[in-house]
Amino acid sequence: MDLKILSLATDKTTDKLQEFLQTLKADELACLLQNQAVKGRAVGTFLRAILKGSPCSEEDGALRRYKIYSCCIQLVESGDLQQDVASEIIGLLMLEVHHFPGPLLVDLANDFVGAVREDRLVNGKSLELLPIILTALATTKEVLACGKGDLNGKECKRQLIDTLCSVRWAQRYTIQLTSMFKDIHLTPEEMNLVVAKVLTMFPKLNLQEIPPLVYQLLVLSSKGSRRSVLDGIIAFFRDLDRQHSEEQSSDELSELVTAPADELHHVEGTIILHIVFAIKLDCELGRELLKHLKAGQQGDPSKCLCPFSIALLLSLTRIQRFEEQVFDLLKTSVVKSFKDLQLLQGSKFLQTLVPQRTCVSAMILEVVKNSVHSWDHVTQGLIEFGFILMDSYGPKKILDGKSVEIGSSLSKMTNQHACKLGANILLETFKIHEMIRQEILEQVLNRVVTRTSSPISHFLDLFSDIIMYAPLILQNCSKVTETFDYLSFLPLQTVQGLLKAVQPLLKISMSMRDSLILVLRKAMFASQLDARKSAVAGFLLLLKNFKVLGSLPSSQCTQSIGVTQVHVDVHSRYSAVANETFCLEIIDSLKRCLGQQADVRLMLYEGFYDALRRNSQLASSIMQTLFSQLKQFYEPEPDLLPPLKLGACVLTQGSQIFLQEPLDHLLSCIQHCLAWYKSRVVPLQQGDEGEEEEEEEELYHELDDMLESITIRMIKSELEDFELDKSADFSQNTNVGVKNNICACLIMGVCEVLIEYNFSIGNFSKSKFEEILSLFMCYKKFSDILSEKAGKGKAKLASKASDSLLSMKFVSDLLTALFRDSIQSHEESLSILRSSSEFMHYAVNVALQKVQQLIRTGHMSGPDGQNPDKIFQNLCDITRVLLWRYTSIPTSVEESGKKEKGKSISLLCLEGLQKTFSAVQQFYQPKVQQFLQALDVMGTEEEEAGVTVTQRASFQIRQFQRSLLNLLSSEEEDFNSKEALLLISVLSTLSKLLEPTSPQFVQMLSWTSKICKEYSREDASFCKSLMNLFFSLHVLYKSPVTLLRDLSQDIHGQLGDIDQDVEIEKTDHFAMVNLRTAAPTVCLLVLSQAEKVLEEVDWLITKIKGSLNQETLSDETTPDASSQAVPPTLLIEKAIIMQLGTLVTFFHELVQTALPSGSCVDTLLKDLSKIYSTLTALVKYYLQVCQSSRRIPNTVEKLVKLSGSHLTPVCYSFISYVQNKSSNNPKCSEKEKAAASTTMAKVLRETKPIPNLVFAIEQYEKFLIQLSKKSKVNLMLHMKLSTSRDFKIKGSVLDMVLREDRGDENEEGTASAHTQQDREPAKKRRKKCLS
């Protein structure tokens, strides 16, 4: 039978073939076809023959053809056919589809939809036929019965696609169905349907099935809906990542619910590669991705930015055309995220409205962590981005050797966070990826070496962290060794940071150490001073960190390593004996420095003490060196005055005078080394003395005798002995004057060193304390002379700024002894020092100077000045003493007892407290609990353990509150403004330690509010500080708008109205607002706070605008979303309207206030422009809201009504008041009036605040008109027409001018009259002055 069909098919006509086929039943034909197909013998020829005998022009033929198609589809799906046979059948069927009549095409398509719905497809091979069927259907022009109605071909195709997308798809052929759609011409609506359907399949598939599906979806996206595709993929993986992180953070074993994390991240990596590949082929896809992510920045960034999308962006940087755009977008996102976070943290109002979101920085670090799963395409972008952040946001300027930030405090904090994030990205990437370690290290070191003029401390910190993480990996790194060659050319600060960073490597790598020593030896003889100083710094660092056998353990090591791999004493093959030889060689090298410039010697003296303390075995060598140096400047004759050769310390070169030997620092170094030796070494050597020890003892005794002799002779020496009496020349312009200045400073330094030496050995001996007081009097003589001679010049400031040589530990001990020591046996000797108020002042002043130095530079001069733990301990001790002294003897008591020039000791103590509190918060934030615990003893350790920082801070705050209350209770003339300002500063610092949600914070706020309300002081600076404190507390509790309104009423009441005929009823919300403080102090303060509120409101409006755009986009992609749902932004909208309403009443009061000319008026005009700009932004938002078929709330109408009735009219009145103010002052003379007019005109010209304000009002009214039309609500009902300010005729002025013109005509004639007419505007202004 099959042979007959084949033979009939060879005839030229098909009549016989058709007749034969009609005799066969459909089942027989199907059976024949199945047999041919299964056997695989010439199935193509047989199928062609059947199709040839079944022409679509005849009904029977078309039906037979339809049945053949159905049979073939079943055969292909059965899986019984060979692959090539199935492909041949599908190919033949594709070629014949276009011959089908429309109704049968619809039936065929419905068969496919039914197969998908009922899950009858086995392998999905037949789906290749569906695109051809739908394409053929779309070209059919006849009306077809499809579904419930009659439709044309295109509509029918649309309905079939709709039906296909609405049925359930089985997982196994989701990919084939998606792939099928790429061969169909889809309209945008159909494309959206398909994309939405495919995206809903993501959660139903296994993870491994998603990459091929994404690939097909990306191919499909070339037809359109690119943004929907990208948004869907990103949203799916964002939710999946979030679900994983929640499961990991919870204790439940939920691995069964989702796939393991490493599998997820591998899948994400594959999909990112697919997307980047698709973007390379279709740039429009990349542009859509960037547009989508940029648009998401305005609303909730966490909806667009997530670890997956950030990794995708970083991979995109490999495509050059997108590189710059991507990094700009990421930079903007990071900075915006940090700014938003700071804005939220600083405002309780925003915290209640906007939930805290995940910071972008956390997402980026998550990407770094995930990149371990073969995300090689992401790592390069991560490295580049890390360096971009560090380069862009690192410190920008060097001031006095210290890098500083430029800009507002908000931008400074943001920059610091962004720079730190860059460093963290690079460090974490370095830890995870071995392949790119070399590249990171090279880039860091290149920046360290090449950027000599800009700060690189952030790169040095990163370099140090890298070395601490992997010292053994980097021990043979050639790049580090190469960097040593540049040490001579780098700034000293960079060299010190670099050498500290490589210290762990030097301990484990002999070759690296040898390379460094060679470089340092060369540098020691370099011509540049900085190079020699770098060499000294390097050698001293080596001395400190290489332990010699037999040295005492040092608990005071300047830099602890903290890495188990680097314990050189135990694990290294280099012995401590070799270290001793090595260290002695270094000391020999350093001895050569004693003949160099003062700066080099100074570094040496400051470093020797640390080296000796670290390596006690080097003590003999170091002390011998120092002893030999001192002998050059010591007068051995016991009766010779003065005891030191000061002349030899000064060098004359041509016409210039230089300090050659910093003798005071040399003595200081010797004194500290002696003290350390006596306290640590001597107790261990008793009864165990050899020859070497005897020699050392003899050396130390000799040094003691020398210091004793210097002390006695310094006390005996008069000014004339130093050739520095009051008649001597101290001018900075002459050589003699410069030399005398240097000598006087040296003597003062020597006196300070001797004071500390005698105190340390004195053991509270009366005679020693008398010597200390005598030394201080010697110090004071020279100090007074320098101050007197310097006068008011810059030299005075320079002498004040010179650092004291007293050590921080000694200052702490001295203050404790002076103020807290109550031991009976010490009483008599201490009374000697306590009797001198000048000495007491001096002791507290030095403490202040030390703390100020810490705040300025981050460290202190002298021993342990670089050791953070020791500094912290001394800060605790000093603060405790100063606190006790201030609270025990209040300033009022001390000052009433004796009137002296300068500050009282109590006031100095308070100043010291203010500095120490701020220093602790700046440098020791993690140790605040420990610091506060050191200040007060509340009970046993168990009781103290449960006390929080807030409770401790609150206890201290109450002490200072009492002091301020006592001060305010005094009479106005007895009010100590300096003390009050310091108290407010201390309270501000301590209040930052309070938890804003705690009752202690509320108590602090209510107390501050009470002070502002009940106490009146005319001191403007005190008022400003107090109100600043009040506002800083209030914003962390709730929004300050009602507070601003009350204050504006007080200001209005105090200053009066712009209309002099109106009498204002005075309000007394805050007594602190009085005639002296109302303007400019309080006025400028409230205006700055109003600016902050407006900034917050602007931020919120931007936020809800972005959210509205995101909602609109999601509605477009998912049109079935319920429009009845309540928008989540309603609460924010209500809060915005409340804030703006209260601010309108605030400005309503201020605009009617008779403010003095100057900053108040200017700032008010600018802020009025800002509120109108904010109101305009809100109106624009509601224009968008109206487009999404939402009504505008009634509260918006009320706000518009309030602005129209209470603000706009008085704004125009205020503008007139400002313009006329200078000409309406009858008391001032003509010259004063002219000067005032000129000044006012200049201000108006330069700042243009009035035109800006008028423009802002007009813009507001313009958009209000648009909103009225859109919303069908008449919002302009309460808005008066704007005043035209271009031309205004004033009747009274016009009459006066006309009368004057007539008088001029009588006297001077017609020509003169014309001249006067030409100058009419000038005459008007003059007349207004007279009126």
Side-chain angles (χ1 to χ4, degrees):
M1 199 180 289
D2 51 346
L3 292 171
K4 189 174 182 180
I5 293 170
L6 288 169
S7 66
L8 288 172
T10 57
D11 293 349
K12 289 184 178 179
T13 60
T14 59
D15 296 343
K16 291 181 181 179
L17 179 60
Q18 287 181 43
E19 286 173 12
F20 180 72
L21 289 174
Q22 281 173 359
T23 62
L24 295 174
K25 292 179 181 177
D27 293 343
E28 291 174 345
L29 201 57
C31 191
L32 280 172
L33 184 61
Q34 187 175 349
N35 288 335
Q36 288 286 335
V38 170
K39 290 174 185 175
R41 290 181 305 185
V43 67
T45 312
F46 184 67
L47 186 55
R48 280 192 200 93
I50 295 173
L51 292 173
K52 188 177 180 181
S54 309
C56 290
S57 54
E58 297 179 10
E59 190 177 344
D60 289 343
L63 283 170
R64 193 183 310 117
R65 184 176 282 229
Y66 168 70
K67 286 173 183 174
I68 290 296
Y69 262 71
S70 299
C71 176
C72 286
I73 289 166
Q74 286 172 13
L75 271 173
V76 169
E77 285 298 325
S78 67
D80 297 335
L81 305 184
Q82 293 175 12
Q83 187 73 29
D84 56 339
V85 173
S87 297
E88 188 179 3
I89 291 172
I90 292 293
L92 279 170
L93 295 181
M94 283 178 175
L95 291 171
E96 296 293 328
V97 165
H98 66 280
H99 296 301
F100 266 106
L104 288 179
L105 284 172
V106 172
D107 291 342
L108 270 175
N110 279 325
D111 287 348
F112 273 104
V113 173
V116 171
R117 182 193 289 115
E118 293 160 21
D119 196 9
R120 290 202 309 269
L121 297 176
V122 178
N123 57 20
K125 177 72 176 172
S126 62
L127 285 173
E128 293 175 21
L129 194 56
L130 186 55
I132 309 299
I133 294 170
L134 290 172
T135 305
L137 188 59
T139 58
T140 304
K141 294 180 181 176
E142 60 185 301
V143 176
L144 304 167
C146 186
K148 294 179 181 178
D150 295 336
L151 307 169
N152 64 29
K154 286 183 179 178
E155 290 169 344
C156 205
K157 183 193 85 168
R158 161 70 198 264
Q159 187 165 0
L160 283 164
I161 289 173
D162 199 348
T163 310
L164 185 59
C165 289
S166 61
V167 302
R168 190 176 67 83
W169 293 2
Q171 289 183 29
R172 64 182 179 278
Y173 47 73
T174 299
I175 295 167
Q176 285 155 301
L177 278 166
T178 308
S179 174
M180 174 201 77
F181 281 109
K182 72 175 183 286
D183 298 322
I184 305 172
H185 176 71
L186 299 170
T187 64
E189 293 80 11
E190 291 165 352
M191 188 69 196
N192 285 337
L193 279 171
V194 173
V195 168
K197 176 62 182 176
V198 176
L199 290 173
T200 57
M201 293 303 296
F202 274 30
K204 299 172 186 174
L205 299 177
N206 294 327
L207 266 179
Q208 297 302 330
E209 293 175 308
I210 291 176
L213 179 59
V214 167
Y215 178 79
Q216 296 300 336
L217 197 53
L218 290 167
V219 173
L220 186 61
S221 73
S222 61
K223 293 173 175 290
S225 294
R226 293 178 178 84
R227 182 174 288 200
S228 303
V229 169
L230 291 167
D231 188 25
I233 295 169
I234 289 168
F236 173 71
F237 283 103
R238 180 191 67 221
D239 296 339
L240 210 55
D241 281 336
R242 193 175 293 159
Q243 190 181 344
H244 260 282
S245 59
E246 284 169 6
E247 285 169 5
Q248 285 171 1
S249 59
S250 66
D251 296 331
E252 297 172 15
L253 294 169
S254 49
E255 284 293 327
L256 298 171
V257 180
T258 52
D262 55 346
E263 185 187 349
L264 170 63
H265 298 318
H266 274 110
V267 166
E268 286 177 340
T270 308
I271 285 167
I272 287 169
L273 281 173
H274 282 330
I275 297 173
V276 172
F277 180 70
I279 289 171
K280 281 179 182 175
L281 299 175
D282 179 13
C283 290
E284 192 56 40
L285 190 66
R287 282 193 280 271
E288 279 298 327
L289 174 65
L290 289 174
K291 267 189 215 169
H292 170 61
L293 294 175
K294 279 177 185 172
Q297 293 293 299
Q298 299 305 318
D300 180 4
S302 62
K303 285 187 179 176
C304 292
L305 280 182
C306 58
F308 176 79
S309 61
I310 290 170
L312 175 56
L313 282 172
L314 288 166
S315 296
L316 200 58
T317 56
R318 298 170 79 186
I319 304 173
Q320 193 173 358
R321 72 167 65 187
F322 292 115
E323 184 180 7
E324 193 176 337
Q325 295 176 58
V326 169
F327 284 135
D328 285 345
L329 173 61
L330 285 172
K331 268 170 63 177
T332 309
S333 302
V334 166
V335 172
K336 184 177 180 296
S337 174
F338 283 130
K339 280 183 178 173
D340 289 355
L341 194 63
Q342 280 187 272
L343 205 60
L344 276 170
Q345 287 172 348
S347 170
K348 182 69 175 176
F349 166 67
L350 291 179
Q351 287 167 22
T352 53
L353 292 172
V354 183
Q356 194 106 357
R357 302 285 181 189
T358 308
C359 188
V360 175
S361 59
M363 295 179 193
I364 294 172
L365 292 173
E366 184 72 20
V367 172
V368 177
K369 193 173 78 174
N370 296 345
S371 68
V372 74
H373 302 285
S374 307
W375 287 13
D376 298 335
H377 45 282
V378 175
T379 48
Q380 194 58 43
L382 275 171
I383 295 169
E384 284 183 51
F385 186 55
F387 280 112
I388 284 171
L389 286 178
M390 291 190 78
D391 291 337
S392 305
Y393 300 110
K396 291 286 182 290
K397 191 180 176 187
I398 294 183
L399 191 67
D400 297 333
K402 183 191 175 191
S403 60
V404 293
E405 297 280 359
I406 306 166
S408 66
S409 59
L410 181 70
S411 64
K412 275 195 281 190
M413 288 295 288
T414 303
N415 289 356
Q416 286 168 8
H417 287 313
C419 180
K420 184 66 181 166
L421 172 63
N424 286 339
I425 290 169
L426 292 169
L427 179 61
E428 295 304 313
T429 309
F430 183 91
K431 289 178 181 179
I432 291 171
H433 300 282
E434 288 183 28
M435 298 296 289
I436 46 84
R437 284 177 178 171
Q438 189 69 21
E439 184 186 345
I440 292 175
L441 199 64
E442 278 188 18
Q443 289 210 43
V444 170
L445 289 173
N446 285 344
R447 283 164 170 78
V448 168
V449 169
T450 56
R451 298 190 179 178
T452 52
S453 58
S454 57
I456 50 151
S457 54
H458 48 307
F459 287 112
L460 287 172
D461 291 341
L462 172 61
F463 183 50
S464 178
D465 291 338
I466 286 172
I467 288 177
M468 295 292 275
Y469 170 73
L472 292 176
I473 296 169
L474 299 176
Q475 62 175 320
N476 297 316
C477 179
S478 60
K479 185 66 185 174
V480 179
T481 314
E482 283 171 27
T483 309
F484 291 156
D485 296 336
Y486 299 99
L487 286 182
S488 303
F489 310 103
L490 297 178
L492 179 62
Q493 204 174 5
T494 303
V495 172
Q496 288 175 322
L498 187 63
L499 293 177
K500 276 184 184 175
V502 298
Q503 176 191 318
L505 297 183
L506 302 176
K507 288 203 159 194
I508 55 176
S509 172
M510 179 68 90
S511 60
M512 196 171 281
R513 196 167 76 183
D514 292 344
S515 302
L516 178 62
I517 289 170
L518 279 173
V519 170
L520 293 178
R521 280 180 176 160
K522 284 180 191 173
M524 188 72 83
F525 299 100
S527 56
Q528 301 91 350
L529 177 62
D530 271 0
R532 297 201 297 278
K533 287 166 81 171
S534 297
V536 173
F539 278 134
L540 286 171
L541 196 75
L542 290 170
L543 269 188
K544 278 184 234 175
N545 291 297
F546 286 89
K547 192 109 170 121
V548 174
L549 190 67
S551 288
L552 296 170
S554 173
S555 60
Q556 303 167 323
C557 179
T558 307
Q559 184 185 11
S560 58
I561 314 286
V563 180
T564 52
Q565 301 157 303
V566 187
H567 286 316
V568 69
D569 300 332
V570 182
H571 301 294
S572 176
R573 64 181 180 273
Y574 307 120
S575 67
V577 177
N579 279 346
E580 181 171 15
T581 311
F582 168 67
C583 290
L584 289 172
E585 276 181 36
I586 290 175
I587 290 176
D588 283 342
S589 297
L590 288 173
K591 282 180 184 175
R592 298 179 186 131
C593 298
L594 294 172
Q596 295 192 11
Q597 283 95 332
D599 285 351
V600 181
R601 299 187 195 189
L602 191 61
M603 282 191 71
L604 197 59
Y605 298 150
E606 286 176 349
F608 262 157
Y609 172 72
D610 277 336
L612 174 110
R613 191 183 56 188
R614 172 73 178 159
N615 273 320
S616 57
Q617 288 297 95
L618 301 175
S620 175
S621 180
I622 289 174
M623 292 306 290
Q624 190 62 54
T625 304
L626 293 171
F627 177 66
S628 305
Q629 188 71 2
L630 179 61
K631 279 174 75 175
Q632 296 177 38
F633 305 97
Y634 174 70
E635 295 283 6
E637 292 293 326
D639 299 326
L640 198 62
L641 298 179
L644 299 166
K645 302 172 184 174
L646 294 176
C649 298
V650 182
L651 176 69
T652 306
Q653 277 187 349
S655 61
Q656 290 186 308
I657 305 287
F658 297 102
L659 173 67
Q660 175 73 10
E661 176 64 46
L663 187 58
D664 46 357
H665 285 85
L666 171 61
L667 277 171
S668 177
C669 181
I670 290 170
Q671 184 265 317
H672 289 306
C673 292
L674 267 177
W676 182 83
Y677 180 80
K678 288 173 186 173
S679 63
R680 297 294 302 275
V681 182
V682 173
L684 299 174
Q685 285 186 347
Q686 288 174 356
D688 185 29
E689 292 185 4
E691 283 185 25
E692 282 187 19
E693 280 76 9
E694 283 180 14
E695 284 178 20
E696 280 185 34
E697 281 294 316
E698 192 176 327
L699 173 66
Y700 291 125
H701 281 309
E702 197 166 343
L703 279 169
D704 267 329
D705 292 342
M706 285 172 81
L707 289 173
E708 189 67 37
S709 172
I710 293 170
T711 301
I712 294 165
R713 287 191 278 168
M714 284 294 285
I715 293 166
K716 287 180 182 175
S717 299
E718 297 293 332
L719 291 174
E720 289 75 14
D721 296 324
F722 296 107
E723 299 177 5
L724 292 172
D725 57 7
K726 287 192 178 183
S727 60
D729 178 13
F730 285 92
S731 163
Q732 294 287 346
N733 303 322
T734 62
N735 284 353
V736 175
V738 171
K739 182 180 177 182
N740 289 345
N741 264 298
I742 292 171
C743 290
C745 290
L746 281 177
I747 294 163
M748 287 163 65
V750 168
C751 288
E752 284 191 318
V753 172
L754 294 174
I755 286 170
E756 183 169 347
Y757 170 73
N758 283 285
F759 188 89
S760 65
I761 65 165
N763 197 19
F764 292 91
S765 146
K766 188 178 176 183
S767 60
K768 282 292 172 193
F769 278 25
E770 284 171 350
E771 286 178 3
I772 287 171
L773 199 58
S774 302
L775 284 167
F776 169 70
M777 296 316 293
C778 176
Y779 168 91
K780 193 169 183 311
K781 281 179 199 170
F782 286 98
S783 174
D784 290 345
I785 287 174
L786 285 180
S787 299
E788 184 187 327
K789 295 287 183 182
K792 295 180 180 178
K794 292 180 182 176
K796 184 179 181 182
L797 297 174
S799 65
K800 274 191 174 181
S802 61
D803 296 324
S804 169
L805 286 178
L806 300 182
S807 67
M808 189 69 172
K809 179 76 174 72
F810 168 67
V811 173
S812 169
D813 293 343
L814 179 62
L815 288 175
T816 307
L818 290 175
F819 297 137
R820 295 300 307 269
D821 196 327
S822 55
I823 299 170
Q824 193 65 41
S825 58
H826 298 172
E827 190 68 34
E828 188 181 358
S829 52
L830 281 172
S831 63
I832 295 167
L833 298 181
R834 288 170 180 166
S835 64
S836 169
S837 64
E838 289 177 338
F839 184 76
M840 304 268 273
H841 271 81
Y842 163 74
V844 180
N845 265 320
V846 172
L848 255 69
Q849 186 196 93
K850 291 283 178 188
V851 180
Q852 187 61 45
Q853 187 187 24
L854 172 66
I855 293 169
R856 193 177 71 248
T857 62
H859 56 82
M860 294 181 183
S861 56
D864 297 319
Q866 305 273 357
N867 186 337
D869 294 335
K870 290 287 180 184
I871 292 175
F872 176 72
Q873 188 55 53
N874 289 326
L875 270 181
C876 291
D877 296 340
I878 287 174
T879 310
R880 189 167 54 242
V881 175
L882 295 180
L883 184 61
W884 180 89
R885 175 63 172 75
Y886 177 72
T887 50
S888 303
I889 308 173
T891 315
S892 53
V893 175
E894 188 178 351
E895 289 184 345
S896 61
K898 44 189 171 181
K899 297 284 181 184
E900 293 178 351
K901 283 185 180 179
K903 297 173 185 174
S904 64
I905 292 175
S906 287
L907 195 59
L908 284 173
C909 288
L910 181 59
E911 196 177 329
L913 288 169
Q914 183 251 330
K915 284 180 167 47
T916 52
F917 283 135
S918 59
V920 168
Q921 275 204 325
Q922 187 177 341
F923 297 103
Y924 299 98
Q925 191 65 41
K927 290 188 173 183
V928 165
Q929 170 85 327
Q930 198 179 329
F931 172 72
L932 292 173
Q933 194 174 339
L935 298 189
D936 62 309
V937 181
M938 296 182 72
T940 60
E941 284 186 19
E942 290 79 10
E943 289 173 10
E944 290 199 357
V947 183
T948 63
V949 169
T950 295
Q951 289 168 324
R952 292 186 190 283
S954 180
F955 175 76
Q956 299 300 339
I957 283 170
R958 285 196 294 275
Q959 296 193 70
F960 293 106
Q961 283 176 337
R962 282 194 292 272
S963 300
L964 186 58
L965 277 174
N966 291 337
L967 205 59
L968 289 167
S969 303
S970 62
E971 296 296 323
E972 181 82 38
E973 57 271 14
D974 296 333
F975 181 68
N976 189 332
S977 176
K978 287 180 182 176
E979 185 178 4
L981 286 171
L982 287 169
L983 282 168
I984 295 291
S985 179
V986 170
L987 287 168
S988 297
T989 308
L990 287 173
S991 66
K992 289 173 188 170
L993 303 176
L994 299 176
E995 183 61 42
T997 54
S998 64
Q1000 288 89 347
F1001 183 87
V1002 178
Q1003 184 274 331
M1004 174 73 183
L1005 175 60
S1006 57
W1007 179 86
T1008 313
S1009 176
K1010 186 183 175 186
I1011 295 290
C1012 292
K1013 285 177 178 177
E1014 295 180 5
Y1015 291 91
S1016 176
R1017 284 285 181 272
E1018 293 190 348
D1019 189 301
S1021 54
F1022 170 70
C1023 175
K1024 184 178 178 181
S1025 298
L1026 183 64
M1027 294 301 282
N1028 269 327
L1029 170 62
F1030 185 29
F1031 279 123
S1032 68
L1033 294 170
H1034 202 282
V1035 290
L1036 295 175
Y1037 182 65
K1038 64 177 181 181
S1039 177
V1041 281
T1042 51
L1043 197 65
L1044 294 175
R1045 186 187 59 205
D1046 293 347
L1047 282 163
S1048 66
Q1049 289 171 0
D1050 289 350
I1051 293 168
H1052 193 181
Q1054 290 292 338
L1055 298 178
D1057 198 88
I1058 53 176
D1059 186 349
Q1060 293 178 358
D1061 300 332
V1062 176
E1063 191 173 332
I1064 302 298
E1065 185 183 339
K1066 285 193 177 183
T1067 57
D1068 54 352
H1069 297 112
F1070 292 92
M1072 198 51 73
V1073 181
N1074 52 51
L1075 202 56
R1076 289 288 296 276
T1077 59
T1081 309
V1082 178
C1083 180
L1084 289 175
L1085 267 175
V1086 293
L1087 284 171
S1088 73
Q1089 286 300 320
E1091 280 180 38
K1092 287 176 186 172
V1093 175
L1094 284 171
E1095 186 186 343
E1096 289 174 5
V1097 171
D1098 277 333
W1099 185 79
L1100 283 174
I1101 292 171
T1102 309
K1103 202 94 176 154
I1104 57 176
K1105 260 188 192 172
S1107 300
L1108 190 67
N1109 291 335
Q1110 284 177 345
E1111 283 171 28
T1112 310
L1113 282 171
S1114 62
D1115 287 348
E1116 285 172 10
T1117 53
T1118 55
D1120 298 329
S1122 171
S1123 59
Q1124 301 300 316
V1126 178
T1129 54
L1130 279 180
L1131 192 66
I1132 297 178
E1133 288 177 23
K1134 187 180 175 184
I1136 287 170
I1137 291 164
M1138 290 291 291
Q1139 293 288 93
L1140 287 173
T1142 317
L1143 279 179
V1144 166
T1145 57
F1146 160 75
F1147 281 114
H1148 170 72
E1149 291 289 341
L1150 280 189
V1151 164
Q1152 295 180 85
T1153 306
L1155 294 171
S1157 302
S1159 56
C1160 289
V1161 170
D1162 205 25
T1163 310
L1164 178 55
L1165 288 168
K1166 285 178 184 173
D1167 288 353
L1168 284 167
S1169 300
K1170 282 180 185 171
I1171 192 170
Y1172 275 108
S1173 301
T1174 306
L1175 285 166
T1176 307
L1178 186 66
V1179 171
K1180 286 179 180 176
Y1181 166 72
Y1182 279 108
L1183 277 168
Q1184 281 183 295
V1185 167
C1186 287
Q1187 288 172 357
S1188 59
S1189 69
R1190 254 182 65 199
R1191 281 190 72 254
I1192 60 168
N1194 292 332
T1195 45
V1196 175
E1197 294 179 48
K1198 290 177 183 175
L1199 176 63
V1200 172
K1201 179 181 175 182
L1202 188 68
S1203 67
S1205 59
H1206 278 62
L1207 193 56
T1208 307
V1210 286
C1211 275
Y1212 284 119
S1213 304
F1214 184 70
I1215 290 171
S1216 301
Y1217 163 76
V1218 171
Q1219 290 182 326
N1220 297 334
K1221 185 169 173 56
S1222 60
S1223 57
N1224 287 341
N1225 190 354
K1227 294 180 183 178
C1228 59
S1229 66
E1230 287 294 328
K1231 280 188 178 179
E1232 287 172 344
K1233 284 177 191 173
S1237 298
T1238 309
T1239 308
M1240 182 61 78
K1242 187 180 176 186
V1243 168
L1244 293 176
R1245 250 196 336 270
E1246 285 178 358
T1247 59
K1248 297 183 181 174
I1250 290 174
N1252 290 344
L1253 173 56
V1254 174
F1255 176 74
I1257 294 172
E1258 288 170 355
Q1259 283 292 101
Y1260 173 52
E1261 290 171 354
K1262 171 188 161 185
F1263 284 101
L1264 267 182
I1265 293 166
Q1266 289 181 23
L1267 184 58
S1268 298
K1269 290 175 183 175
K1270 273 270 172 68
S1271 64
K1272 307 290 189 290
V1273 177
N1274 186 5
L1275 296 170
M1276 297 301 290
L1277 187 63
H1278 304 284
M1279 301 294 289
K1280 293 182 181 177
L1281 284 173
S1282 299
T1283 309
S1284 174
R1285 307 201 52 77
D1286 298 330
F1287 180 73
K1288 188 189 290 185
I1289 298 174
K1290 293 187 177 179
S1292 57
V1293 176
L1294 187 63
D1295 288 342
M1296 193 180 295
V1297 171
L1298 289 171
R1299 278 198 300 272
E1300 191 167 296
D1301 278 349
R1302 287 192 203 105
D1304 289 342
E1305 280 174 11
N1306 294 335
E1307 289 176 17
E1308 298 177 15
T1310 312
S1312 176
H1314 283 301
T1315 310
Q1316 292 292 344
Q1317 225 168 4
D1318 292 339
R1319 295 176 185 169
E1320 188 178 355
K1323 199 185 299 180
K1324 278 186 183 177
R1325 283 198 293 274
R1326 185 163 52 81
K1327 280 293 174 187
K1328 280 193 281 185
C1329 282
L1330 294 169
S1331 61

